[in-house]
Amino acid sequence: MKRCILILYLLLVATTAIAQSISYEIKGSVSGVMDSIPLESATVYLQNRKDKSMIKYTTSNQKGEFSLSGTTVHKDAILFISYVGSKTYSKNISLQSKIDLKPIYLENSSMLDVVMIESKSPVTIKQDTLEFDPGSFKTKRNASVEDFIKKLPGAQVDADGNITVNGKRVDKILVNGKPFFANDPTMATQNLTKEIIEKLQIVDSKTNSEAFTGELGDSDSKTINLVIKEENNKGSFGKLSTGIGDNDRYDISGNYNKFNNDRNISLIGNGNNINAPNVGFGTKGIRTSRRVGVAYGDDYGENNSLSVNYVYSDSELENRRLQSTEYIVPEAPYFSNVSSRSITEDRSHVVDLEYQAMIDSTFHVDLVSNFIYLPGESNFQSTSETFDEFEELINTSSVNSNTIQNQKEFRNALNLTKKIGRKGAFIKVTLNQATNDLESDDFTMSELLFLNTTTDDVLRNQFTDTDNFSNRFDTKITFRLPILAKKFFIDFKYSNFSQKQESDKSIFDFDISQQAYSVFNTDLSSDFIYRNNASIPSVKFNYRNKKIHAFLNFDYAFRTLQNQDRLRPEFDIKRRFEIFTYAGGFRYRFNRRSIINTGIRLRNMIPSLSQLQTFTNVSNPLNIIRGNPDLKPQNRYSFHIDFRTNNFKKGFGLYSKFKADFDNNRVVSKFTINEDLVRETTYVNVDGNYNYSSYFNLYKNIKFDKLRAMRINFNGSVSTAKRINFNNDVRYDIKNVSYMPSLGFDFEWEKAFDFNANYLWNYSLTNYSLDGFTDEEIITHELNLYTEVQISDRLTWENKVRYIYNPNIAAGFDKYAWSWNSALSYSLLDDRASISLRVYDLLDQNIDTRRIVNTDFIQDSQSLVLQRFFMLTFDWKFNSLKKRPKPPK
C-alpha cells in the first residue's frame, strides 16, 4: 500500500511539472564598456525571480556570445551576467520560446559605487582558480561538504574520502585560507555542512613560500579552500549525532565551531564500532575507534598568522583472514594455505603548527612543525601449510606473537624568503629537520615442522627488543635570477642532505632453566648505523606567460651511503654515487577551459639498506634474505601528457592522461627454493622493465528543467607492464594488461528523488614466459546503487546497494556478495534535527574476497567483515546566529 502511494505521489509530481513546463531560448553577446572587446568566459545565469534559485547557467564563448535554452516551470526570471573586475549585469525576463537580446556591455566595477546584488554565479573562473557557489548545486538535506563536492563537475570522492578533481588529487583542505586539521582533510569535508559555506575554491597546491613569491604550484595536486558565510564568521555552529544499535553497536559524533572573523576554534569528536564512515562495504575487519580534535587559527595584525591543531585517536581492529597462495617456480610450483587472526590496538597524538610572518613587504617567514606520538599493541596468531606441485604436505608452521611499541616523530620545516627588486628575483633558505624514535618489545613463539625430510625443525620462543632512531637534516638555498621580468627566470639551487639511522634489534631466546629470556641470539640479532649524505647542485629554467608555462631542471647529486655493522664489522660497506637527473615540462592554456600539459623526467632510486647489506636475515625461517652490496642505483625514464577541458556552458568536461615509465638497473628479488620449500632471497639489477598507463574521465551534465537534472560520468584506465623475475636461477618475463572502465550516472528530481548508479568492470590478464604456466585472467564486476526518495517534506528513504562478483576466485572462497544499507529519516525542529532508523547489510551477505596476481605468486584471500545490524540515530545541528538579512528592495 505504501509503495502504491509513493508511486502515485511521484506520478503526480511528474505530471504537474511537465504540464507547467515552459520552453525558452535566450541568445545574446557581452563586451566591455570601455573598449567593446568581447568578454570570453563571462558567467551567464538565470534565477527564478521568486525564490532566487538557479534555473540554468552557461559561459560566453571567445566572441562574447552566449545561449541559454531549456524548460522550466517558472515564467518570471532574472538574467545575470558577471565577469571578474566588472559590475554584475541583471535584467528581469519573462521566459518565452525565443528571446534575442541587444548587445550587453559590462561596466568596470572600479568606476561605480558598491552595489549589493542578491545573486551568485554558480561557477566563476578567476585565472587558475575555480569557484563554486554551494547554493547553485542541489544536495540532500543536511548535506556535508563531501556531499557537495560529489556534485561538482569533474570531482570524485572515493570510499575513504579521498578527493580528485579532473584526475588530480586534493591534498589539502583550507577553511578561510587557513589549515584545518592539516593531516586529515576528511575532518573538514565530513564534519562541516554545506549550508555554512559561502563558496568553494579549487586551486593548484602551493606552499606558503610559493604563494608569496608568485611561483607556480604543484599542477599534479589541488587545494580546496572553504570560505565560510559572513553570518557564520562571527558566531558558533555545529552538529551532534548519536546512534544506538543491536549487537551493542554504537556511533556518536559531534563538532563545535566558533568563528570570530580572523579567529576560529573547532572541536571535533567521534566514536563508533561500525567501521564508520565506510560502513558495511567490504572493509577488512571490525574496528572500534574514538577520535577527538581541536583546531585553532588566528591572524595577529595584518602580517602574522598562526594555525595549530591537536588530534587524539585510538582504535582496536579485529581481523580474521584466510589466504590461499600459488607460488610461481619453474617446473615446480608450490602452494600454501594460511589462517590468521589479529587484534591491533593503536593510539595516536598528533600536533600540527603553522606560523607565517611578513617582516615587511619583501621578507616572508614560514614555519611548519609536526609532532606525532604512536603507542600501540598487537596480537597475532597464524597457522599455515605448504604443499608441493603434487599436493603433498611439505611443512607446517604456526606463529603466536605479542608486540608493544612506541613511536615518536618530530618534523620541522622553515622557509625564509626575501624578494629582490620588482622583476621577480628572490632568495630563499629552506631548513628541514625530522627525528623518528621507535621502540618495541615483541614476544614470539613459533614452530616450523618439516615432513618427510632430515631437515631440522625450527622451534623458537623469543623476546625481541628493538630500538630504531633516525635523524635527518637538509638545507636548500635557492636564488631566482630574472632574465625577462616576470616571464623568464633561472633558479640556482644547492641542497645538502644528511641522514643518520641507528637500528638495534636484540633477540633473546628463552632459557628453560632460568625461566627467562636471557640467551642472546647473535645469528638473529642486528645492530647497524646507516648514513646517507648528499650534496645536490641544480639549475632550473622557467618561462611563463598567460598561456605558456615551461621549465627544464637539471640536478647532479654526490651521494655517499655507509653502513656500519656493530655486531659483524666484516660486513661494513661504503658506497659513493654520482647521479645525474633531469625534469622538464610544458603547459599550454588554450583558453580558460582547456589545458594541455606534458613532461619528461629521469629519476634515480638508490638501493635500500636491507638490499645492500650482506648480513643474512633468518628471522623468517621460510624466507631467508641476504643483500647484495654490488647493486647499482635504479634509473627511471618517464614521459607523460595530459589534457583537460571543462565547458560549463554545455555541462561537459574531459580529462585524459598517458604515462610511460622505462627502468634501467631496476632492483628485483631473486629467489631460490629448496626441496623443503624454503625460499632464499637476494637482489640483482635488471634492464627491460616498463609500464604504460592511460586514464580518462568524461562527464556530461544534462538539465531537463528546474526540477530534473542528470549527470553522466564515464572513466577508465588501460595499462600494460613488463616485469622481470628470477626463480631458481631461471629468468622469466611477466606481462600484464589491465582494463578498468566505469560508467555512472546521477539523476535528480528535486523534492522527489535522487538515483545514482555506477558500474565498474576490472579485467586483468597476466602472461608468464614459463613453460607450463597458463595465462592468468582476473575479472571483477562491481555495481553500486544509491537512491534517496523524498516521501514527504519531512520523511526521506535512503538506500546504498553494492554488488561484487569475482568469477575467478579459487574454490572455497565466496565469488559474489550483496551489501545493502537502508535508512528512513524524519526531519524535526524546522530541519534542525532528524531521527533515523538504519539497517546495515540488510541481506546479511557482506564479504571481503580478493584475488591478486604478483610477479611470483597468485593469491586469494577472505577477511572478517562487519555484518547486519540495526541502528536508531538522532542528529541535531545548531547555529547561534540567524541568516544574514536580505537588503531592502
Side-chain angles (χ1 to χ4, degrees), residues 859-872:
Q859 187 176 92
D860 299 300
S861 64
Q862 184 167 312
S863 298
L864 173 70
V865 295
L866 190 67
Q867 294 185 319
R868 183 172 58 197
F869 66 93
F870 295 82
M871 178 168 284
L872 185 67

Side-chain angles (χ1 to χ4, degrees), residues 600-660:
I600 57 173
R601 187 176 185 183
L602 168 59
R603 286 185 293 171
N604 184 275
M605 290 155 277
I606 61 173
S608 66
L609 171 62
S610 61
Q611 292 171 336
L612 285 171
Q613 62 192 18
T614 53
F615 162 69
T616 302
N617 185 342
V618 293
S619 56
N620 181 354
L622 285 175
N623 186 20
I624 300 170
I625 301 174
R626 182 181 295 105
N628 179 0
D630 297 322
L631 290 176
K632 301 175 183 178
Q634 173 183 332
N635 290 322
R636 173 165 293 175
Y637 301 86
S638 301
F639 167 79
H640 76 88
I641 183 170
D642 60 75
F643 172 78
R644 64 180 182 270
T645 182
N646 286 285
N647 190 326
F648 297 111
K649 176 181 178 180
K650 298 181 179 179
F652 168 84
L654 169 67
Y655 173 80
S656 60
K657 181 176 183 178
F658 172 79
K659 184 179 180 182

Side-chain angles (χ1 to χ4, degrees), residues 204 216 219 547-549 585-589 595-597:
D204 287 346
L216 293 179
S219 61
K547 288 186 172 291
I548 295 174
H549 172 227
F586 178 83
R587 184 173 71 181
Y588 181 78
R589 182 183 296 274
I595 296 176
I596 189 169
N597 184 49

Side-chain angles (χ1 to χ4, degrees), residues 167-168 220 596-600 637-644 655-662 690-697 716-721:
K168 308 292 186 180
D220 289 331
I596 189 169
N597 184 49
T598 184
I600 57 173
Y637 301 86
S638 301
F639 167 79
H640 76 88
I641 183 170
D642 60 75
F643 172 78
R644 64 180 182 270
Y655 173 80
S656 60
K657 181 176 183 178
F658 172 79
K659 184 179 180 182
D661 293 324
F662 306 91
Y690 61 78
N691 183 74
Y692 304 101
S693 62
S694 60
Y695 171 82
F696 73 91
N697 184 358
S717 63
V718 179
S719 65
T720 180

